[in-house]
């Protein structure tokens, strides 16, 4: 019989305000195996841990139940305290009476009853617990960064500067990401390319960084410290070792009707192309969907004019398999599609554009060479209207419920740049709220209003109506003056909501990383572990985790790099002993468990089994404890009940259910 100690935490008033903690401690003494119970204000504190250690020594405790907050918060704390006192750390159970009880109840009697039930279930489990010993696994001293934007580049540079090998996988033909499409950055109005390009060059030149552009992650297996990743290097149809980047092939290419992805479809590019002038690597890609050679078998102009002989029409996709100790996700963002917002006439008029399209128009390397002009007729606009929160803070299912965070600032930036370069252009901004929480951000917005004379109107736009003369009639409301507004504009700019890169859900599935309802990757803890995924060894960098601006992104990239370095610096990792274990006498070799295992931890082999006096050779399951992450999928799927999870056995789960139902 176990000798169990139950310790009930007040958590200040978080628990004690709703749960009668003393009564929970008293009720614990009535449970089988419990020889000691007490409550304390802060059990996780040094004094609280000392109480636990003292009780273990004096009462010869063999198991502990801590009634406190979520095990995600302090399970490791209490396990270490128990281990220091000489108790196996896996003989500690947490009864979550805060998040699962006190925080969701208002009635003390009801909450106390539930807290007692949760305590009772934990005691029932501890009575069946057995000491477990963690194993060890080696750490591969190499990191993978998925995404080559500013977040991925900064993360890779920081890890590489610490002396570790890093691979960047970027699906586009060049690194640089969304930042490479910007003209200026707020609040300093630095040239985006001027601060990004040196980072790109540094990453490409770094001896510890290997860049896979025009590539995608195909498959991920393994576990923290030892991931195996398949990377698909898509065929560029250009030999990167031979190409000199002269650009003659792009000039001579007769197929120039493909929309430019980099310029957001505002102009066309050739079938063989480099996305932008500062692209790294400066090696073009052949777009096989638009290339005449691939469509008809004729042409081949690029091959004829290439002096280096770099064109290779027979090039195939290549799968590269590498091992990594840590993976950082930096997949970035895109703006939402505006198909559901036809009231703004985005699909009806060329002069209704998104903010990102305006960035390309205002950029010297953009489709209009930096000249602000209407796309419909090339004329200079005199009246420009900006509409904020298109798809952000949306109350219906057309858009996103969250604030995209960067729109207020980049709209102020656009307004200032337009008014500075074209003083005769009137700029009006329709907004719901102006949100500028950042260093020098509010001052930046005030400059737009006070120094540059931008007209901010608090109110929403109901409709944008294209007129026969080419102008746009904007119908909106002014909530401060309580009146309706009809305003003619030459251009309308929509601050569209941002969302995670569409590929992130596929990446999350491969990494078994958590994802929220908006497709942002979920952090392990919003405050204490903001750059770590709940999946060990996976770290988050940039907008894949949530909306943020460039300074925030770079800061998070550095934080993710530090976490990855901390992992790579270890030679060995302690493995979780709560792994699956088969009962070979019950296993019928059906392979169901192997089919559902997401980590590839289960294999089968023929073994001689002695069962009920009969010796025979059977095909039975074998679990690689280094690969097994203790998810429990196999135990649920096993039709013969042969598979069990150490630390969470079927007997223990049933005992908990029985205790709850008493």
């Amino acid at each position: 019989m176990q000798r169990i100690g139950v310790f009930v935490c007040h958590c200040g008033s978080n628990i004690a305000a709703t749960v009668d903690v003393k009564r929970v401690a008293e009720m614990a003494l009535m449970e089988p195996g419990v020889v000691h119970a007490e409550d304390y204000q802060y059990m996780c504190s040094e004094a609280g841990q000392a109480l636990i250690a003292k009780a273990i020594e004096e009462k010869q405790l063999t198991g502990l139940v801590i009634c406190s907050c979520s095990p995600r918060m302090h399970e490791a704390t209490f396990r270490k305290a128990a281990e220091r006192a000489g108790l196996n750390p896996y003989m500690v159970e947490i009864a979550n009476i805060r998040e699962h009880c006190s925080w969701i109840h208002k009635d003390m009697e009801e909450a106390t009853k539930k807290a007692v039930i949760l305590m009772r279930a934990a005691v029932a489990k501890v009575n069946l617990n057995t000491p477990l010993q963690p194993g060890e696994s080696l750490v591969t001293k190499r990191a993978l960064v998925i995404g080559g934007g500013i977040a991925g580049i900064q993360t890779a540079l920081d890890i590489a500067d610490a002396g570790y090998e890093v691979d960047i996988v970027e699906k586009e033909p060049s690194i640089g990401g969304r930042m490479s499409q910007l003209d200026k950055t707020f609040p300093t109005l630095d040239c985006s390319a001027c601060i990004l390009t040196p980072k790109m060059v540094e990453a490409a030149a770094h001896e510890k960084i290997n860049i896979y552009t025009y590539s995608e992650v195909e498959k991920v297996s393994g576990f923290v410290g030892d991931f195996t990743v398949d990377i698909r290097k898509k065929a560029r149809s250009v030999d990167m070792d031979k190409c000199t980047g002269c650009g003659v092939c792009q000039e001579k290419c007769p197929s120039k009707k493909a929309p430019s992805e980099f310029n957001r479809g505002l102009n066309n590019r050739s079938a063989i192309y480099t996305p932008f002038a500062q692209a790294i690597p400066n090696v073009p890609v052949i777009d096989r969907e638009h290339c005449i050679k691939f469509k008809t078998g004729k042409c081949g102009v690029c091959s004829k004019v290439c002096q280096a002989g770099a064109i290779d029409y027979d090039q195939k996709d290549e799968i590269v398999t590498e091992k990594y100790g840590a993976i950082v996700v930096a997949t970035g963002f895109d703006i939402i599609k505006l198909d559901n917002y036809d009231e703004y006439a985005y699909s009806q008029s060329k002069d209704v554009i998104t903010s990102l399209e305006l960035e390309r128009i205002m950029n010297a390397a953009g489709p209009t060479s930096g000249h602000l002009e209407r796309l419909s007729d090339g004329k200079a606009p005199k009246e420009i209207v900006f509409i904020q929160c298109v798809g952000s803070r949306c109350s219906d299912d057309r858009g996103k419920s969250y604030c995209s965070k960067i729109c207020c600032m980049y709209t102020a930036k656009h307004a200032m740049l337009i008014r500075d370069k074209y003083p005769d252009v009137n700029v009006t901004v329709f907004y719901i709220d102006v949100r500028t929480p950042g260093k020098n951000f509010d001052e930046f917005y005030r400059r737009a209003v006070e120094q540059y004379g931008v007209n901010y109107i608090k109110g929403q736009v109901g409709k944008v109506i294209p007129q026969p003369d080419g102008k746009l009639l904007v119908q909106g409301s002014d909530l401060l003056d309580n009146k309706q507004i009809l305003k003619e504009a030459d251009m309308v700019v929509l601050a569209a909501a941002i969302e995670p890169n569409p590929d992130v859900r596929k990446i999350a599935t491969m990494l078994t990383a958590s994802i929220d309802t908006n497709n942002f990757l979920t952090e392990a803890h919003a405050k204490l572990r903001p750059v770590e995924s709940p999946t060990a060894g996976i770290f988050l960098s940039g907008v894949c985790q949530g909306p943020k601006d460039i300074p925030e992104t770079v800061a998070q990239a550095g934080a993710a790099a530090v976490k990855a370095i901390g992992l790579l610096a270890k030679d060995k990792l302690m493995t979780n002993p709560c792994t699956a274990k088969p009962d070979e006498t019950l296993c019928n070799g059906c392979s169901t468990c192997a089919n559902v295992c997401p980590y590839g931890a289960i294999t089968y082999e023929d073994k001689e089994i002695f069962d009920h006096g009969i010796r025979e050779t059977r095909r039975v399951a074998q679990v690689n404890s280094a690969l097994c992450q203790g998810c429990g999928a196999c135990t649920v799927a096993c039709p013969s009940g042969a598979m069990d999870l150490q630390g969470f056995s079927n007997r223990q789960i049933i005992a908990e259910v029985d205790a709850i139902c008493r």
Side-chain angles (χ1 to χ4, degrees):
M1 191 71 172
Q2 303 279 16
R3 293 179 59 81
I4 301 169
V6 177
F7 299 87
V8 187
C9 181
H10 296 216
C11 196
S13 60
N14 279 296
I15 294 173
T18 318
V19 173
D20 185 345
V21 290
K22 293 195 179 295
R23 185 171 154 203
V24 175
E26 289 168 5
M27 295 293 287
L29 288 169
M30 301 169 63
E31 294 302 308
V34 177
V35 297
H36 178 78
E38 65 179 301
D39 61 278
Y40 187 69
Q41 190 165 17
Y42 294 106
M43 202 61 75
C44 61
S45 67
E46 197 171 320
Q49 292 179 56
L51 275 178
I52 294 171
K54 184 181 176 184
I56 291 171
E57 184 180 350
E58 291 181 354
K59 300 294 178 74
Q60 299 295 301
L61 301 181
T62 60
L64 300 179
V65 171
I66 314 292
C67 301
S68 62
C69 58
S70 165
R72 287 183 63 189
M73 284 290 292
H74 283 304
E75 183 177 61
T77 302
F78 293 121
R79 280 184 172 178
K80 286 175 183 175
E83 192 171 23
R84 287 195 298 271
L87 185 65
N88 185 286
Y90 296 95
M91 296 300 291
V92 178
E93 289 297 327
I94 307 292
N96 185 355
I97 64 169
R98 190 178 73 174
E99 286 85 345
H100 286 180
C101 188
S102 67
W103 278 2
I104 55 173
H105 290 288
K106 297 190 183 299
D107 180 74
M108 180 170 275
E109 184 63 26
E110 187 181 40
T112 303
K113 284 181 180 178
K114 184 174 180 180
V116 169
I117 290 169
L118 293 172
M119 172 273 297
R120 198 181 283 157
V123 169
K125 184 173 185 293
V126 173
N127 268 312
L128 295 174
N129 274 5
T130 55
L132 300 174
Q133 297 299 328
E136 290 183 342
S137 64
L138 297 175
V139 176
T140 303
K141 308 283 188 174
R142 189 183 189 94
L144 171 66
V145 177
I146 305 174
I150 184 60
I153 292 170
Q154 187 63 53
T155 300
L157 284 170
D158 288 344
I159 295 172
D161 285 343
Y164 298 102
E165 300 279 344
V166 189
D167 290 348
I168 299 175
V169 174
E170 168 57 50
K171 69 174 183 176
E172 300 297 334
S174 168
I175 60 172
R178 201 64 64 203
M179 188 176 171
S180 63
Q181 294 178 289
L182 307 183
D183 182 39
K184 299 287 192 296
T185 61
F186 61 77
T188 54
L189 298 182
D190 291 306
C191 164
S192 182
C194 300
I195 55 179
L196 174 65
T197 305
K199 291 281 185 187
M200 294 166 59
V201 172
E202 187 183 353
H206 204 295
E207 61 180 7
K208 295 286 186 182
I209 297 178
N210 182 36
I211 300 174
Y212 294 102
T213 51
Y214 207 49
S215 304
E216 294 187 26
V217 173
E218 188 90 350
K219 182 183 176 185
V220 180
S221 58
F223 54 95
V224 56
D226 189 22
F227 294 104
T228 302
V229 181
D230 289 348
I231 301 166
R232 178 178 291 276
K233 291 177 65 178
K234 292 183 282 187
R236 299 177 85 99
S237 303
V238 177
D239 191 321
M240 294 181 68
D241 296 325
K242 293 180 181 178
C243 180
T244 61
C246 66
V248 174
C249 55
Q250 299 175 61
E251 293 174 17
K252 302 297 183 182
C253 178
S255 176
K256 289 185 166 63
K257 294 182 180 179
S260 169
E261 297 87 354
F262 187 75
N263 284 328
R264 306 296 293 183
L266 298 180
N267 67 345
N268 294 333
R269 57 162 172 79
S270 54
I272 181 168
Y273 70 101
T274 305
F276 55 102
Q278 303 95 328
I280 290 179
N282 186 25
V283 177
V285 171
I286 293 181
D287 180 351
R288 296 187 176 189
E289 287 185 18
H290 293 90
C291 176
I292 298 171
K293 175 72 174 177
F294 282 99
K295 289 197 296 183
T296 67
K298 300 174 182 178
C299 188
V301 169
C302 53
S303 179
K304 294 170 187 173
V305 300
C306 181
Q307 297 294 316
I311 306 299
D312 181 3
Y313 297 121
D314 297 323
Q315 199 176 78
K316 304 292 184 188
D317 288 4
E318 179 187 350
I319 301 294
V320 178
T321 302
E322 291 282 0
K323 283 189 168 292
Y324 301 100
I327 298 175
V328 182
V329 185
T331 46
F333 74 95
D334 203 346
I335 61 172
I336 64 167
K337 292 182 179 177
L338 296 174
D339 301 345
N340 294 327
Y341 291 90
D342 209 43
E343 66 264 34
Y344 299 124
Y346 179 73
S347 62
Q348 302 169 36
S349 172
K350 287 184 176 181
D351 299 323
V352 180
I353 60 175
T354 66
S355 295
L356 197 51
E357 289 166 355
L358 180 63
E359 288 281 355
R360 297 312 305 150
I361 290 172
M362 296 176 70
N363 191 291
T368 62
S369 301
H371 301 297
L372 183 63
E373 58 187 53
R374 285 158 49 102
L375 296 176
S376 60
D377 54 18
K379 294 180 180 178
K382 296 298 180 185
E383 289 281 349
I384 299 180
V385 170
F386 287 84
I387 303 175
Q388 297 296 91
C389 299
V390 177
S392 296
R393 304 173 64 189
C394 203
S395 57
D396 55 41
D397 58 2
R398 293 190 303 166
K400 307 296 181 181
S401 59
Y402 53 82
C403 169
S404 292
K405 197 172 186 177
I406 58 175
C407 314
C408 290
M409 284 297 291
Y410 71 55
T411 294
K413 175 193 76 174
H414 289 151
M416 287 169 65
L417 291 172
I418 291 170
R419 290 284 294 161
D420 184 58
K421 194 172 180 181
Y422 307 96
D424 59 332
V425 176
N426 293 319
V427 177
T428 303
V429 178
F430 283 90
Y431 70 96
I432 300 174
D433 297 297
V434 175
R435 296 182 170 184
T436 53
K439 186 178 180 181
N440 298 323
F441 281 16
D442 198 58
E443 294 89 333
F444 186 82
Y445 153 66
R446 295 308 314 168
R447 276 177 62 199
V449 175
E450 295 164 6
Q451 185 177 336
Y452 289 91
V454 179
N455 182 24
Y456 273 77
I457 298 175
K458 183 175 176 65
Q460 291 180 288
V461 170
K463 200 165 187 180
V464 175
I465 308 163
Q467 300 297 296
D469 61 357
K471 286 188 176 291
L472 300 163
L473 184 64
V474 179
Q475 178 184 327
S477 60
D478 185 334
L479 297 180
L480 297 182
D481 288 344
N482 194 25
K483 65 180 183 181
Q484 294 296 308
I485 293 176
L486 285 175
K487 187 174 184 65
E488 278 199 338
D490 298 309
M491 285 179 72
V492 171
V493 183
L494 308 178
I498 65 172
E499 63 181 358
N501 190 293
D503 293 334
V504 74
R505 182 166 283 276
K506 182 177 75 173
I507 296 289
T509 302
M510 283 191 280
L511 298 174
T512 62
S514 301
I515 201 166
D516 67 17
T517 53
N518 293 308
N519 287 347
F520 287 112
L521 289 167
T522 308
E523 62 277 9
H525 191 282
K527 301 175 188 69
L528 303 180
R529 298 172 64 194
V531 298
E532 299 171 67
S533 167
T535 304
I538 309 297
F539 305 98
L540 314 177
S541 179
V543 185
C544 70
Q545 182 260 336
K548 50 183 67 70
D549 56 28
I550 294 169
E552 263 189 291
T553 295
V554 173
Q556 189 180 25
V562 168
K563 287 293 183 181
I565 291 165
L567 171 57
L568 298 176
K570 298 174 181 176
D571 294 322
K572 294 179 180 178
L573 293 174
M574 303 291 280
T575 59
N576 181 12
C578 299
T579 55
K581 187 178 181 180
D583 183 340
E584 295 178 346
T585 61
L586 294 177
C587 180
N588 62 15
C590 66
S591 297
T592 301
C593 56
N595 293 335
V596 301
C597 179
Y599 304 100
I602 302 175
T603 56
Y604 280 81
E605 65 177 52
D606 293 328
K607 286 185 75 173
E608 194 174 82
I609 305 298
F610 188 73
D611 183 20
H612 293 85
I614 301 172
R615 192 180 300 275
E616 61 181 349
T617 300
R618 293 183 189 170
R619 181 175 180 268
V620 293
Q622 300 294 303
V623 177
N624 183 335
S625 58
L627 289 175
C628 179
Q629 298 296 298
C631 69
C634 57
T635 63
V636 177
C638 180
S640 60
M643 197 65 78
D644 221 345
L645 192 62
Q646 297 182 97
F648 296 92
S649 68
N650 294 333
R651 280 187 66 215
Q652 289 173 308
I653 302 299
I654 295 299
E656 287 186 275
V657 174
D658 287 344
I660 290 169
C661 296
R662 261 198 281 141

